[in-house]
Amino acid sequence: MNPRFSLFRHTALSGAALLLIFGAPARAAVTTWKGSGTGGDATWNSTTNWSGGSLPTSTDAVDFDRIGVYTAPSATVGIGTGTVAQSGTLRVRYGKSVTLQMADTASLTVANILVVGGGANTASSLLVEGPASGSATASIGRIYMDANTGQRNTVTLSGSNLTVYFTTNYSHFDVNSALIVTNGAKLDATSNLGGQYFIRAGSTGGVYANRMIIRNGSVTGSTIDNTGLFQLSAQGSLAPSAYATSGTMNVYARSGGRFEAEGSGIGAKVFTRIFNGGTLAVGLSDPDTGGRSAAGSLTLNSTVQLDAGSILEFNVFGSGSANADQITIGSTGSLRNVGTGAVLKLSLNGYNLKLGDSWSLFTGNTTAGITGTFDLSQIDTSIWNLSGFNAAGGWTVVSNIPEPTSAAMLLLGGAGFYVALRRRKRRA
């Protein structure tokens, strides 16, 4: 065990114990941000901005806190052109919000990033922001987030001119935490294990506490292991890193985990497995409310394995194919059901079905691309006709709802006849 690290966390994965190690070097100095000007805006490579009067060394830990020397709630810190700023662990704590603005050719190296809260409603955040033009890099050993209660801790990587190198084995998001990759940022794993990301469990009312969200950007690695919420938007992409030992990136949604995806960003060398109790959902929800407002489309050019007891979720928002979620099986894609297959789940989102409404949930190379059977036991067959939910029937679901107008006419007709009959009897 490396004696330089002092903060330990123990967790389990598939029955095997993993020791997660984060925190500041035990024997190194801790440099507290001093700051200057309104809000503490300052430059990393200026000695006047550090309480010790000197720049952090390669073994120093750097703290951004709302306690001690510098108490402002936020800070914008410039990483200057050509600068290689090194420190041990970069820690953002006790409700601090920090933006690192990277200049063209700027480079920042940190052993770990630790973003933690300090109690109720004191969540912290770190934004690493790329330059408007040119390029900048940040090399990070691990990202670790944790909190107590209240607001969510976040690390956001932003900008098409930013590349973040993930240089060791795994990052860990636990207890109200979110990693967001957006605006074209690239997260590229370079460790000998190819990069592993762990999104931990926890949800309330359908809203997941821990999240990894790829809004617009790319992520490489060997494993994304999820019991929380993992979202891949149509502008995001996944691929194995050059160091992934199997040449494949594995995306797992374990029991309670939810993988929401749309677009075609699941790379050809990505293997997706949805475990018993895990969910694959087409389209993205609002991560803060769990709600949906529009249909999504997912294109598969790699293998998705749906274990028995997993959940495959589609949403319907209106009539017509554009108003329902859909999976397109590409020429190299496959959807493989294991055992009794995935439980099919259909949600209507307030839409009132009409007789004959139909949607094809799968298109493309479905004949060769879909294997195994689906578990349809949760579908109400008084509402849905599933006779076409097979390769020959085009994988369609059809509404069984009777037309309200026809039913109403029958009732009204009967009532009119009854009233007329009573009137005739009275005249007699």
Side-chain angles (χ1 to χ4, degrees):
M1 183 179 297
N2 191 334
R4 293 174 55 200
F5 295 99
S6 60
L7 178 63
F8 299 88
R9 184 171 188 90
H10 208 142
T11 188
L13 176 63
S14 295
L18 287 176
L19 184 62
L20 302 187
I21 306 172
F22 297 93
R27 298 177 183 175
V30 175
T31 303
T32 303
W33 180 259
K34 182 179 179 181
S36 63
T38 303
D41 295 350
T43 303
W44 184 292
N45 61 331
S46 170
T47 58
T48 61
N49 298 319
W50 299 97
S51 60
S54 60
L55 299 181
T57 70
S58 60
T59 57
D60 285 340
V62 176
D63 285 345
F64 293 94
D65 295 335
R66 293 188 67 176
I67 59 175
V69 176
Y70 182 52
T71 60
S74 63
T76 300
V77 182
I79 309 296
T81 299
T83 299
V84 178
Q86 292 184 311
S87 68
T89 293
L90 175 62
R91 300 190 296 201
V92 183
R93 307 184 299 175
Y94 306 118
K96 186 71 125 188
S97 178
V98 175
T99 298
L100 300 182
Q101 287 187 337
M102 309 286 288
D104 180 23
T105 74
S107 177
L108 173 67
T109 300
V110 294
N112 303 289
I113 285 180
L114 177 66
V115 178
V116 297
N121 301 312
T122 56
S124 307
S125 66
L126 174 66
L127 167 63
V128 184
E129 192 172 57
S133 60
S135 63
T137 61
S139 296
I140 301 167
R142 299 178 178 92
I143 301 173
Y144 175 75
M145 285 180 277
D146 203 347
N148 293 326
T149 57
Q151 299 175 6
R152 180 168 288 101
N153 294 315
T154 60
V155 172
T156 302
L157 312 176
S158 177
S160 59
N161 299 312
L162 173 68
T163 300
V164 176
Y165 295 105
F166 179 50
T167 60
T168 56
N169 296 342
Y170 44 79
S171 288
H172 185 84
F173 319 126
D174 195 10
V175 191
N176 295 326
S177 300
L179 173 67
I180 301 170
V181 180
T182 189
N183 295 323
K186 296 172 282 293
L187 179 56
D188 186 10
T190 62
S191 74
N192 59 349
L193 291 180
Q196 300 176 73
Y197 310 89
F198 296 95
I199 311 162
R200 289 305 176 217
S203 63
T204 303
V207 176
Y208 285 77
N210 302 300
R211 312 160 182 178
M212 182 173 177
I213 300 173
I214 306 175
R215 288 181 180 157
N216 180 351
S218 62
V219 173
T220 73
S222 65
T223 305
I224 296 175
D225 201 300
N226 175 33
T227 49
L229 173 65
F230 176 47
Q231 289 187 331
L232 177 67
S233 78
Q235 293 76 41
S237 66
L238 297 173
S241 75
Y243 292 84
T245 53
S246 66
T248 300
M249 183 183 205
N250 297 310
V251 177
Y252 298 143
R254 296 184 184 272
S255 181
R258 183 177 177 87
F259 179 24
E260 298 181 349
E262 60 185 14
S264 56
I266 302 178
K269 295 183 178 180
V270 175
F271 171 71
T272 304
R273 181 179 176 185
I274 313 300
F275 287 74
N276 183 1
T279 298
L280 173 63
V282 183
L284 306 185
S285 65
D286 182 327
D288 292 320
T289 65
R292 290 277 308 276
S293 59
S297 176
L298 174 63
T299 299
L300 293 180
N301 291 304
S302 59
T303 297
V304 172
Q305 177 176 309
L306 301 169
D307 287 6
S310 64
I311 300 167
L312 180 60
E313 181 179 308
F314 293 88
N315 280 258
V316 172
F317 298 88
S319 61
S321 59
N323 289 312
D325 295 334
Q326 189 175 78
I327 293 178
T328 298
I329 311 293
S331 59
T332 58
S334 65
L335 195 69
R336 186 171 68 201
N337 282 281
V338 177
T340 55
V343 176
L344 184 67
K345 181 178 179 181
L346 293 173
S347 299
L348 291 173
N349 292 283
Y351 174 66
N352 294 317
L353 289 172
K354 302 177 181 63
L355 182 65
D357 274 344
S358 67
W359 296 272
S360 293
L361 302 185
F362 300 104
T363 62
N365 182 33
T366 58
T367 302
I370 300 177
T371 60
T373 60
F374 290 90
D375 181 347
L376 306 178
S377 62
Q378 303 302 308
I379 303 296
D380 187 346
T381 54
S382 68
I383 297 175
W384 294 103
N385 179 346
L386 300 174
S387 61
F389 193 66
N390 51 60
W395 297 102
T396 59
V397 291
V398 182
S399 169
N400 269 339
I401 298 296
E403 295 183 79
T405 52
S406 300
M409 289 299 292
L410 287 171
L411 290 172
L412 288 173
F417 174 77
Y418 177 73
V419 170
L421 182 62
R422 285 184 59 86
R423 286 178 177 171
R424 287 176 184 173
K425 285 184 176 180
R426 286 176 182 173
R427 287 175 183 172

